Amino acid sequence: YYYSGRYQDVIDLATTTLLATRAPLLIAPAMNTNMYQHPATQQNMATLKTRGAVFVGPDSGRLACRTVGPGRLIDPMTILEACVPLLRAEKDLAGKRVVITSGATHEPIDPVRYIGNRSSGKMGRAIALEALARGAEVTVVSGPSEVAIPHNVKLVSIQTATEMAEAVASLMHECDIFVAAAAVGDYRVDAPAASKRKKSGKSLELRLVENPDVLALAGSDRKNGKIIVGFAAETDDLIKNATAKVKQKNLDLIVANQVNTPDSGFGSDTTTAAFVDSKGKVEELPNMSKGDLAEMLMDRVAKLTGAR
Ligand code: CTP
């Protein structure tokens, strides 16, 4: 990245770098809001984009010149992540549209309370990053999550399982690969209260009704050789339960995930998992980072897309 008061210098440098090296060029602009929004800057950025430069940021917030607005240097981790797709040579998912569900769902009890789960969204995020690096066009339908969605990924934010089902249904006609990494609430409160519930000194009973199964709905729509991948979050009988889910939900592959050990499952950076395919073939994996698991998963998915 480059921080400069003289934006034209950056344009010149960027253009000559692109032309001379043909290396991928990532630009993270950071400057005063007026300078950033100036038509000359915007036009120059558009020119660089047509020449293949990729932009990341800027962020919005407090600036060095003590004003607030767009132009703040984006978080360095985001810049680093934006480099990953540029540096990956193998683009085996180029042209593929990948839809990923991620994070938790929140089912309202009243305007201030909900039923949720412990999903952090880390696995969905890792898969999105991996798919992006392999050249795919990625959309993440995400419920509440601890982590931000990677740069250049389209984000559809939802809260409830019903909203997730609706969002996914509207995306399925433009999807080649569907990966359900979200921890979706199986039940919702039948009639959430419109106002905050007051305690009454008595016990409270909530009637729960079953939510739509987003993955099973996706599995029932197998037009155009779509690849459908699910996860199975299990505390017991990992392989047996995952094998049953592959069949029940009509999947190509499931990632069976042990979720009740400290180094695997909800919130953890690592996970112990196994792949189970549609024929019931099991591939058990050692404990590894969610990033490594995402890479192995997308290797299998790329092979499946090649076979279709
Ligand atoms: N899933 C979904 N919609 C639901 C429930 C689950 O899309 N309403 C997806 C999850 O994203 C995951 C897979 O189905 O990819 C399996 O989820 P899991 O919670 O392991 O199992 P369930 O199907 O909910 O079954 P159970 O809770 O009985 O284990």
Side-chain angles (χ1 to χ4, degrees):
Y1 64 91
Y2 199 97
Y3 186 92
S4 166
R6 282 173 51 83
Y7 200 67
Q8 192 55 50
D9 290 351
V10 187
I11 306 293
D12 294 344
L13 177 75
T15 303
T16 44
T17 307
L18 265 176
L19 295 178
T21 65
R22 308 182 94 200
L25 183 70
L26 184 88
I27 303 177
M31 67 192 82
N32 165 271
T33 303
N34 293 334
M35 192 186 288
Y36 174 66
Q37 289 176 339
H38 194 282
T41 309
Q42 292 298 318
Q43 211 172 355
N44 284 331
M45 284 174 62
T47 306
L48 284 169
K49 279 182 197 162
T50 64
R51 291 178 188 160
V54 175
F55 282 80
V56 54
D59 213 344
S60 211
R62 195 161 180 275
L63 305 178
C65 51
R66 294 177 185 276
T67 57
V68 174
R72 194 179 155 87
L73 178 69
I74 201 152
D75 160 50
M77 202 56 203
T78 308
I79 299 174
L80 194 65
E81 274 186 7
C83 294
V84 174
L86 300 181
L87 297 174
R88 182 77 72 88
E90 199 188 11
K91 299 287 181 197
D92 52 5
L93 293 181
K96 299 291 179 201
R97 294 158 305 178
V98 179
V99 175
I100 300 162
T101 67
S102 183
T105 53
H106 285 181
E107 303 296 341
I109 297 171
D110 68 16
V112 293
R113 304 172 181 102
Y114 59 82
I115 300 174
N117 61 64
R118 297 182 196 280
S119 171
S120 62
K122 288 178 183 171
M123 193 66 236
R125 183 181 202 282
I127 296 167
L129 204 56
E130 182 62 28
L132 200 66
R134 290 168 180 254
E137 192 187 299
V138 185
T139 303
V140 173
V141 179
S142 178
S145 164
E146 281 172 24
V147 292
I149 289 305
H151 180 70
N152 274 341
V153 165
K154 195 173 147 217
L155 171 66
V156 180
S157 285
I158 55 86
Q159 291 287 318
T160 67
T162 308
E163 287 166 6
M164 182 175 276
E166 283 164 6
V168 167
S170 72
L171 291 165
M172 283 317 269
H173 67 283
E174 48 187 50
C175 163
D176 303 302
I177 298 161
F178 177 71
V179 184
V184 188
D186 288 333
Y187 294 90
R188 68 179 177 277
V189 177
D190 191 15
S195 310
K196 186 185 172 208
R197 280 180 176 275
K198 294 293 179 189
K199 58 177 174 284
S200 64
K202 293 186 213 133
S203 60
L204 169 69
E205 277 182 26
L206 292 171
R207 197 180 116 81
L208 303 181
V209 292
E210 206 167 305
N211 272 330
D213 190 313
V214 183
L215 176 59
L217 288 171
S220 66
D221 169 18
R222 309 286 309 213
K223 281 189 255 34
N224 312 330
K226 240 177 238 137
I227 309 287
I228 310 276
V229 179
F231 275 71
E234 307 292 347
T235 54
D236 309 286
D237 297 326
L238 182 69
I239 302 299
K240 190 172 148 236
N241 286 332
T243 308
K245 282 176 189 170
V246 174
K247 295 231 153 31
Q248 278 159 13
K249 304 197 188 198
N250 197 17
L251 311 179
D252 293 289
L253 193 68
I254 200 160
V255 185
N257 219 348
Q258 192 75 42
V259 290
N260 56 339
T261 60
D263 62 355
S264 184
F266 295 125
S268 168
D269 289 329
T270 55
T271 193
T272 305
F275 295 136
V276 183
D277 73 12
S278 57
K279 297 192 182 81
K281 196 180 126 220
V282 179
E283 188 182 351
E284 296 207 41
L285 306 169
N287 186 267
M288 62 178 74
S289 74
K290 289 184 174 174
D292 286 348
L293 180 63
E295 191 177 339
M296 292 191 73
L297 174 63
M298 294 323 266
D299 275 345
R300 308 297 180 281
V301 168
K303 254 194 210 131
L304 284 169
T305 52
R308 289 272 152 93

